[in-house]
Amino acid sequence: MPAAERIAVVGIGADGWAGLGGPARDTVLAADVVIGGSRHLDLLPAVEGQQRHTWPSPLRAGLTGLLDGLAGQRVVALASGDPLLSGVGSTLIELFGADRVTVVPAVSSVTLARARLGWPAESAAVIRAADVHAVLRELAPGRRVLVLSSDQTTPGQLAALLTERGYGASRMVVLGDLGGAAEYRRDSTAATFAGPVPRLNIVALELAGPLVSGWAAGLPDDAYEHDGQLTKRDLRASALARLAPAPGQLLWDVGAGAGSVGIEWMRSHPTCHALAVEANDARAQRISDNARNLGVPALRVVHGTAPQVLADLPAPDAVFIGGGLSRDGVLAACLAALVPGGRLVAHGVTLETEALLATAYREHGGELTRIQVEYAAPLGSFTGWTPARAVTQWALTRP
């Protein structure tokens, strides 16, 4: 696209053309080309000579080619409500840059839902229901959540999942076609919910159920399905304290086993990302299952053997090596990939991996720790301490 060309992204609500303000209407009417979903395009009045295109599929792959073919023309893209709230405006800015994209927002469905419910903005989390299991990260008594539904099936899926997890008493309000003439509302609990509902809807939840787990590192070991290849609770908490999850950052969990470190990295903040690298087929599937069950279904499993599989991955802000440390090239590849200021934590339990970590400590510095945990357990008719296998931990922050 020529540098001078711009795209206007206009938000449109369920009230259609009638709800657009003067500047938004003028922008649409002056366009040579309008791109949008069929539903949005049908809301517009006819404009002589104006081209109209539906979104390409797949979206991201098709947008560049479509817009390159429209160079020199005034282009408007239509979006639902606020184009920057999980909308196409974010995609266009990511692809073409903020200097080429102008956003003319309408009132979002989230804003309308809060207004209908009387919920202050700071009182509720907002999640997008690409996978309803994302709500499981938010489970806590009294927590308010607004779920952006994918379609009319989302409320039923949410209701079933919450009921299964002991949150059937949660208040559930389905709001459909917000701002339109046929605005819809249904109040129920998760356990008593019944459809049908409009395709365009948002679900408001006031969660009621037991406290299952918090967001701090160190979930109980039995929160995970595993075959013994699991970074245990106390070691996991120690590793994550040094990995230091931060918003928007990416973790490589190499030799992920049950995926526990990557999962808890992502649970720490909704914008954290993780890649779980695992060569074993059964464990790779188990990681995906654990991630969904613990509310972070967006965790990506990279099925393959390190270090070969690491070459094509995006550079990490942090790396945890829980397995495969003794394989030639794994530690070197992880160190080389780490961004400036990035953190690496590696665990070793054998004499061979301890020696490798001691060498890395001498060469690179950092922090070398030997962790021994003991657990109280029956000892005859008494109680005694049962030691777990000692683990050597090397932690490094790259300058």
Side-chain angles (χ1 to χ4, degrees), residues 80-119:
S80 295
D82 181 352
L84 296 180
L85 180 65
S86 296
V88 74
S90 305
T91 303
L92 288 167
I93 288 173
E94 184 179 334
L95 289 174
F96 303 111
D99 59 329
R100 299 185 186 180
V101 180
T102 300
V103 178
V104 184
V107 177
S108 72
S109 59
V110 168
T111 299
L112 290 170
R114 286 172 174 153
R116 303 295 186 267
L117 297 162
W119 288 4

Short mmCIF file of all heavy atoms in Angstrom, two decimals, residues 80-119:
data_model
loop_
_atom_site.label_atom_id
_atom_site.label_comp_id
_atom_site.label_asym_id
_atom_site.label_seq_id
_atom_site.Cartn_x
_atom_site.Cartn_y
_atom_site.Cartn_z
N SER A 80 -18.19 -3.93 14.09
CA SER A 80 -19.23 -3.86 15.12
C SER A 80 -18.77 -2.98 16.27
O SER A 80 -17.69 -3.20 16.83
CB SER A 80 -19.55 -5.26 15.67
OG SER A 80 -20.10 -6.07 14.67
N GLY A 81 -19.57 -1.96 16.60
CA GLY A 81 -19.31 -1.16 17.79
C GLY A 81 -17.95 -0.49 17.78
O GLY A 81 -17.62 0.27 16.88
N ASP A 82 -17.14 -0.81 18.77
CA ASP A 82 -15.80 -0.27 18.88
C ASP A 82 -14.85 -1.19 18.11
O ASP A 82 -14.61 -2.32 18.52
CB ASP A 82 -15.38 -0.20 20.36
CG ASP A 82 -13.99 0.38 20.54
OD1 ASP A 82 -13.29 0.59 19.53
OD2 ASP A 82 -13.60 0.62 21.70
N PRO A 83 -14.28 -0.73 16.99
CA PRO A 83 -13.43 -1.61 16.16
C PRO A 83 -12.16 -2.07 16.85
O PRO A 83 -11.49 -2.98 16.38
CB PRO A 83 -13.09 -0.73 14.96
CG PRO A 83 -14.17 0.31 14.92
CD PRO A 83 -14.50 0.57 16.35
N LEU A 84 -11.80 -1.45 17.99
CA LEU A 84 -10.59 -1.83 18.70
C LEU A 84 -10.88 -2.71 19.91
O LEU A 84 -9.98 -3.02 20.69
CB LEU A 84 -9.82 -0.59 19.15
CG LEU A 84 -9.29 0.29 18.00
CD1 LEU A 84 -8.54 1.50 18.54
CD2 LEU A 84 -8.38 -0.51 17.08
N LEU A 85 -12.12 -3.15 20.07
CA LEU A 85 -12.47 -4.07 21.14
C LEU A 85 -12.62 -5.46 20.52
O LEU A 85 -13.68 -5.83 20.04
CB LEU A 85 -13.78 -3.65 21.82
CG LEU A 85 -14.23 -4.55 22.97
CD1 LEU A 85 -13.23 -4.50 24.13
CD2 LEU A 85 -15.62 -4.14 23.46
N SER A 86 -11.52 -6.21 20.49
CA SER A 86 -11.50 -7.53 19.85
C SER A 86 -12.08 -7.45 18.44
O SER A 86 -12.81 -8.34 18.01
CB SER A 86 -12.29 -8.54 20.69
OG SER A 86 -11.69 -8.73 21.94
N GLY A 87 -11.76 -6.37 17.74
CA GLY A 87 -12.36 -6.13 16.43
C GLY A 87 -11.35 -6.05 15.31
O GLY A 87 -10.13 -6.15 15.51
N VAL A 88 -11.88 -5.84 14.10
CA VAL A 88 -11.03 -5.83 12.91
C VAL A 88 -10.12 -4.61 12.87
O VAL A 88 -9.09 -4.62 12.20
CB VAL A 88 -11.92 -5.90 11.65
CG1 VAL A 88 -12.62 -4.56 11.39
CG2 VAL A 88 -11.10 -6.33 10.44
N GLY A 89 -10.46 -3.56 13.62
CA GLY A 89 -9.58 -2.40 13.67
C GLY A 89 -8.21 -2.76 14.20
O GLY A 89 -7.18 -2.29 13.69
N SER A 90 -8.17 -3.63 15.20
CA SER A 90 -6.89 -4.07 15.76
C SER A 90 -6.08 -4.83 14.72
O SER A 90 -4.86 -4.65 14.61
CB SER A 90 -7.13 -4.96 16.99
OG SER A 90 -7.94 -4.30 17.94
N THR A 91 -6.75 -5.67 13.94
CA THR A 91 -6.06 -6.45 12.91
C THR A 91 -5.48 -5.54 11.84
O THR A 91 -4.33 -5.71 11.40
CB THR A 91 -7.03 -7.45 12.27
OG1 THR A 91 -7.57 -8.30 13.29
CG2 THR A 91 -6.34 -8.30 11.23
N LEU A 92 -6.25 -4.56 11.40
CA LEU A 92 -5.78 -3.64 10.35
C LEU A 92 -4.59 -2.81 10.82
O LEU A 92 -3.62 -2.60 10.07
CB LEU A 92 -6.92 -2.74 9.90
CG LEU A 92 -8.01 -3.43 9.07
CD1 LEU A 92 -9.25 -2.54 8.96
CD2 LEU A 92 -7.48 -3.79 7.69
N ILE A 93 -4.63 -2.35 12.06
CA ILE A 93 -3.50 -1.58 12.59
C ILE A 93 -2.26 -2.45 12.70
O ILE A 93 -1.15 -2.03 12.39
CB ILE A 93 -3.88 -0.96 13.95
CG1 ILE A 93 -4.88 0.18 13.74
CG2 ILE A 93 -2.64 -0.45 14.69
CD1 ILE A 93 -5.46 0.74 15.02
N GLU A 94 -2.45 -3.68 13.12
CA GLU A 94 -1.32 -4.60 13.23
C GLU A 94 -0.68 -4.87 11.86
O GLU A 94 0.54 -4.95 11.74
CB GLU A 94 -1.79 -5.92 13.86
CG GLU A 94 -0.68 -6.92 14.12
CD GLU A 94 -1.19 -8.19 14.76
OE1 GLU A 94 -2.25 -8.15 15.43
OE2 GLU A 94 -0.54 -9.24 14.59
N LEU A 95 -1.52 -4.99 10.84
CA LEU A 95 -1.01 -5.30 9.50
C LEU A 95 -0.42 -4.09 8.79
O LEU A 95 0.60 -4.21 8.10
CB LEU A 95 -2.14 -5.89 8.64
CG LEU A 95 -2.62 -7.30 8.98
CD1 LEU A 95 -3.82 -7.67 8.13
CD2 LEU A 95 -1.49 -8.31 8.77
N PHE A 96 -1.04 -2.90 8.94
CA PHE A 96 -0.68 -1.76 8.11
C PHE A 96 -0.14 -0.56 8.89
O PHE A 96 0.33 0.39 8.28
CB PHE A 96 -1.88 -1.32 7.26
CG PHE A 96 -2.42 -2.43 6.40
CD1 PHE A 96 -3.66 -2.99 6.65
CD2 PHE A 96 -1.67 -2.94 5.35
CE1 PHE A 96 -4.16 -4.02 5.86
CE2 PHE A 96 -2.14 -3.96 4.56
CZ PHE A 96 -3.39 -4.52 4.81
N GLY A 97 -0.22 -0.60 10.22
CA GLY A 97 0.30 0.50 11.02
C GLY A 97 -0.75 1.53 11.37
O GLY A 97 -1.67 1.81 10.59
N ALA A 98 -0.59 2.13 12.54
CA ALA A 98 -1.57 3.11 13.03
C ALA A 98 -1.62 4.36 12.18
O ALA A 98 -2.63 5.07 12.14
CB ALA A 98 -1.27 3.47 14.48
N ASP A 99 -0.51 4.67 11.46
CA ASP A 99 -0.50 5.89 10.65
C ASP A 99 -1.35 5.75 9.40
O ASP A 99 -1.66 6.75 8.74
CB ASP A 99 0.93 6.25 10.27
CG ASP A 99 1.64 5.15 9.49
OD1 ASP A 99 1.33 3.96 9.73
OD2 ASP A 99 2.50 5.47 8.65
N ARG A 100 -1.76 4.51 9.04
CA ARG A 100 -2.59 4.31 7.85
C ARG A 100 -4.04 4.01 8.18
O ARG A 100 -4.86 3.86 7.28
CB ARG A 100 -2.03 3.17 7.01
CG ARG A 100 -0.63 3.39 6.49
CD ARG A 100 -0.22 2.27 5.57
NE ARG A 100 1.17 2.38 5.17
CZ ARG A 100 1.79 1.53 4.38
NH1 ARG A 100 1.14 0.48 3.91
NH2 ARG A 100 3.07 1.69 4.06
N VAL A 101 -4.35 3.90 9.45
CA VAL A 101 -5.70 3.49 9.84
C VAL A 101 -6.33 4.54 10.76
O VAL A 101 -5.75 4.91 11.78
CB VAL A 101 -5.68 2.13 10.57
CG1 VAL A 101 -7.10 1.71 10.97
CG2 VAL A 101 -5.05 1.05 9.68
N THR A 102 -7.50 5.04 10.36
CA THR A 102 -8.29 5.96 11.18
C THR A 102 -9.49 5.19 11.73
O THR A 102 -10.17 4.49 10.98
CB THR A 102 -8.79 7.15 10.35
OG1 THR A 102 -7.66 7.85 9.81
CG2 THR A 102 -9.62 8.09 11.21
N VAL A 103 -9.74 5.32 13.01
CA VAL A 103 -10.84 4.60 13.65
C VAL A 103 -11.93 5.57 14.07
O VAL A 103 -11.67 6.57 14.75
CB VAL A 103 -10.35 3.80 14.87
CG1 VAL A 103 -11.52 3.09 15.56
CG2 VAL A 103 -9.29 2.78 14.45
N VAL A 104 -13.16 5.29 13.63
CA VAL A 104 -14.33 6.07 14.03
C VAL A 104 -15.25 5.12 14.81
O VAL A 104 -16.05 4.39 14.23
CB VAL A 104 -15.07 6.64 12.80
CG1 VAL A 104 -16.22 7.54 13.24
CG2 VAL A 104 -14.11 7.39 11.88
N PRO A 105 -15.12 5.09 16.14
CA PRO A 105 -15.83 4.07 16.90
C PRO A 105 -17.28 4.41 17.16
O PRO A 105 -17.68 5.58 17.20
CB PRO A 105 -15.05 4.02 18.22
CG PRO A 105 -14.54 5.42 18.38
CD PRO A 105 -14.25 5.92 16.99
N ALA A 106 -18.08 3.37 17.34
CA ALA A 106 -19.43 3.50 17.88
C ALA A 106 -19.38 3.00 19.33
O ALA A 106 -18.34 2.52 19.79
CB ALA A 106 -20.43 2.68 17.06
N VAL A 107 -20.48 3.09 20.04
CA VAL A 107 -20.53 2.57 21.41
C VAL A 107 -20.42 1.04 21.34
O VAL A 107 -21.13 0.39 20.56
CB VAL A 107 -21.85 2.98 22.10
CG1 VAL A 107 -21.92 2.37 23.51
CG2 VAL A 107 -21.94 4.49 22.17
N SER A 108 -19.53 0.48 22.14
CA SER A 108 -19.31 -0.96 22.09
C SER A 108 -20.41 -1.71 22.82
O SER A 108 -21.11 -1.16 23.68
CB SER A 108 -17.95 -1.31 22.72
OG SER A 108 -18.01 -1.14 24.13
N SER A 109 -20.51 -3.01 22.50
CA SER A 109 -21.48 -3.86 23.21
C SER A 109 -21.12 -3.97 24.68
O SER A 109 -22.02 -4.09 25.54
CB SER A 109 -21.51 -5.25 22.57
OG SER A 109 -20.25 -5.86 22.62
N VAL A 110 -19.84 -3.91 25.01
CA VAL A 110 -19.43 -3.96 26.41
C VAL A 110 -19.92 -2.73 27.16
O VAL A 110 -20.45 -2.83 28.28
CB VAL A 110 -17.89 -4.09 26.50
CG1 VAL A 110 -17.41 -3.85 27.93
CG2 VAL A 110 -17.45 -5.47 26.03
N THR A 111 -19.78 -1.56 26.55
CA THR A 111 -20.26 -0.33 27.18
C THR A 111 -21.78 -0.37 27.37
O THR A 111 -22.29 0.00 28.44
CB THR A 111 -19.87 0.89 26.33
OG1 THR A 111 -18.44 0.96 26.24
CG2 THR A 111 -20.39 2.18 26.95
N LEU A 112 -22.49 -0.83 26.35
CA LEU A 112 -23.95 -0.92 26.46
C LEU A 112 -24.35 -1.93 27.53
O LEU A 112 -25.29 -1.69 28.31
CB LEU A 112 -24.54 -1.31 25.11
CG LEU A 112 -24.48 -0.24 24.03
CD1 LEU A 112 -24.88 -0.83 22.67
CD2 LEU A 112 -25.40 0.93 24.38
N ALA A 113 -23.65 -3.05 27.60
CA ALA A 113 -23.98 -4.06 28.61
C ALA A 113 -23.76 -3.50 30.01
O ALA A 113 -24.59 -3.70 30.91
CB ALA A 113 -23.13 -5.31 28.39
N ARG A 114 -22.65 -2.82 30.22
CA ARG A 114 -22.39 -2.23 31.54
C ARG A 114 -23.47 -1.22 31.90
O ARG A 114 -23.91 -1.14 33.06
CB ARG A 114 -21.02 -1.55 31.54
CG ARG A 114 -19.86 -2.53 31.58
CD ARG A 114 -18.55 -1.79 31.37
NE ARG A 114 -17.40 -2.69 31.53
CZ ARG A 114 -16.23 -2.49 30.94
NH1 ARG A 114 -16.07 -1.46 30.13
NH2 ARG A 114 -15.23 -3.33 31.15
N ALA A 115 -23.90 -0.46 30.90
CA ALA A 115 -24.96 0.53 31.16
C ALA A 115 -26.26 -0.15 31.56
O ALA A 115 -26.97 0.31 32.47
CB ALA A 115 -25.16 1.39 29.92
N ARG A 116 -26.63 -1.25 30.88
CA ARG A 116 -27.86 -1.94 31.20
C ARG A 116 -27.81 -2.57 32.60
O ARG A 116 -28.82 -2.66 33.30
CB ARG A 116 -28.15 -3.05 30.17
CG ARG A 116 -28.24 -2.59 28.73
CD ARG A 116 -29.41 -1.65 28.48
NE ARG A 116 -29.53 -1.35 27.06
CZ ARG A 116 -28.97 -0.28 26.47
NH1 ARG A 116 -28.26 0.57 27.19
NH2 ARG A 116 -29.12 -0.08 25.17
N LEU A 117 -26.63 -3.00 33.01
CA LEU A 117 -26.48 -3.71 34.28
C LEU A 117 -26.10 -2.80 35.44
O LEU A 117 -26.17 -3.20 36.60
CB LEU A 117 -25.41 -4.79 34.13
CG LEU A 117 -25.71 -5.90 33.13
CD1 LEU A 117 -24.43 -6.64 32.76
CD2 LEU A 117 -26.74 -6.86 33.71
N GLY A 118 -25.65 -1.58 35.13
CA GLY A 118 -25.17 -0.69 36.18
C GLY A 118 -23.83 -1.12 36.74
O GLY A 118 -23.55 -0.90 37.92
N TRP A 119 -22.99 -1.72 35.90
CA TRP A 119 -21.67 -2.19 36.34
C TRP A 119 -20.60 -1.16 35.97
O TRP A 119 -20.40 -0.88 34.79
CB TRP A 119 -21.31 -3.50 35.67
CG TRP A 119 -22.08 -4.70 36.15
CD1 TRP A 119 -23.10 -4.72 37.05
CD2 TRP A 119 -21.87 -6.06 35.74
NE1 TRP A 119 -23.54 -6.01 37.23
CE2 TRP A 119 -22.81 -6.85 36.45
CE3 TRP A 119 -20.99 -6.68 34.86
CZ2 TRP A 119 -22.89 -8.23 36.27
CZ3 TRP A 119 -21.06 -8.04 34.69
CH2 TRP A 119 -22.00 -8.82 35.39
#
